[in-house]
């Protein structure tokens, strides 16, 4: 049986992004039968509805095709001003257009929010979930994944150094695997 590919979209473009470090942990711990792939979104031009009639930027088609090919999507986002970063919202918009041709339609999703504070990206997590409802992406409800004080969870080489968080994330992946298998 061929492995299924789950895409991971990271909402932070920062070189030392904690969200990207979290993604790397997930990639290294993908459950059996699955391959996790980081999908870059920083190169996507800002969405403009005029592109739907006049032709899209060249990078849109490969991105949309990649999303369509996935068995599911994991979103890992920091919180910017109580919401998702613009780069992540732009990726959602690019993948959802032109209207009626959404690349996201029916893809099972997992939302993980990270934060250097105790609030753990709660606002971004729930704003993202609102968009996923409209995009018809069934989203794992439990366990919810809010990772607080993330700056304390990685060593200087970018490896997760918290056994508790490691176990939690592996349990989340097991739950997402069972959830995604339904679709």
């Amino acid at each position: 049986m061929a492995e299924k590919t789950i895409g991971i979209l990271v909402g932070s473009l920062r070189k030392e992004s904690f969200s990207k470090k979290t993604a790397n942990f997930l990639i290294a711990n993908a459950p059996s039968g699955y391959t996790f792939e980081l999908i870059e979104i920083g190169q996507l031009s800002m969405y403009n509805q005029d592109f739907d009639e006049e032709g899209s930027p060249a990078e849109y088609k490969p991105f949309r095709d990649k999303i369509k090919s996935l068995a599911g999507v994991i979103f890992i986002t920091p919180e910017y001003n109580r919401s998702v970063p613009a780069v992540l919202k732009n990726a959602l918009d690019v993948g959802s257009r032109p209207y009626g041709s959404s690349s996201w339609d029916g893809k099972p999703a997992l939302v993980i929010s990270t934060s250097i504070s105790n609030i753990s990206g709660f606002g971004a997590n729930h704003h993202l979930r609102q968009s996923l409802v409209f995009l018809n992406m069934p989203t794992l409800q439990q366990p919810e994944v809010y990772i607080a004080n993330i700056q304390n969870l990685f060593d200087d080489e970018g490896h997760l150094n918290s056994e508790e968080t490691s176990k939690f994330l592996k349990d989340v992946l097991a739950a997402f695997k069972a959830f995604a298998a339904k679709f």
Side-chain angles (χ1 to χ4, degrees), residues 113-147:
S113 57
T114 64
S115 175
I116 60 171
S117 74
N118 287 330
I119 297 175
S120 58
F122 181 86
N125 192 302
H126 285 266
H127 271 187
L128 181 52
R129 287 172 179 272
Q130 284 180 305
S131 293
L132 300 184
V133 168
F134 181 79
L135 296 174
N136 192 34
M137 295 184 77
T139 304
L140 181 69
Q141 300 302 311
Q142 294 293 327
E144 294 177 295
V145 189
Y146 312 102
I147 304 176

Side-chain angles (χ1 to χ4, degrees), residues 143-145 147 163-173:
E144 294 177 295
V145 189
I147 304 176
E163 287 189 36
E164 180 182 6
T165 304
S166 174
K167 181 186 179 321
F168 173 68
L169 288 173
K170 288 175 183 177
D171 290 346
V172 167
L173 291 179

Side-chain angles (χ1 to χ4, degrees), residues 66-163:
K66 172 52 85 174
I67 298 303
K68 285 180 182 177
S69 76
L70 299 172
V73 182
I74 298 173
F75 297 94
I76 306 175
T77 185
E79 182 170 290
Y80 291 1
N81 303 311
R82 299 287 184 255
S83 189
V84 296
V87 68
L88 186 52
K89 179 62 168 78
N90 186 56
L92 292 175
D93 294 343
V94 168
S96 73
R97 301 304 292 212
Y99 186 79
S101 301
S102 177
S103 301
W104 308 109
D105 189 43
K107 303 264 181 227
L110 168 64
V111 176
I112 298 173
S113 57
T114 64
S115 175
I116 60 171
S117 74
N118 287 330
I119 297 175
S120 58
F122 181 86
N125 192 302
H126 285 266
H127 271 187
L128 181 52
R129 287 172 179 272
Q130 284 180 305
S131 293
L132 300 184
V133 168
F134 181 79
L135 296 174
N136 192 34
M137 295 184 77
T139 304
L140 181 69
Q141 300 302 311
Q142 294 293 327
E144 294 177 295
V145 189
Y146 312 102
I147 304 176
N149 300 305
I150 195 157
Q151 74 280 10
N152 300 325
L153 301 178
F154 290 93
D155 64 23
D156 292 339
E157 286 78 43
H159 300 108
L160 188 62
N161 62 14
S162 165
E163 287 189 36

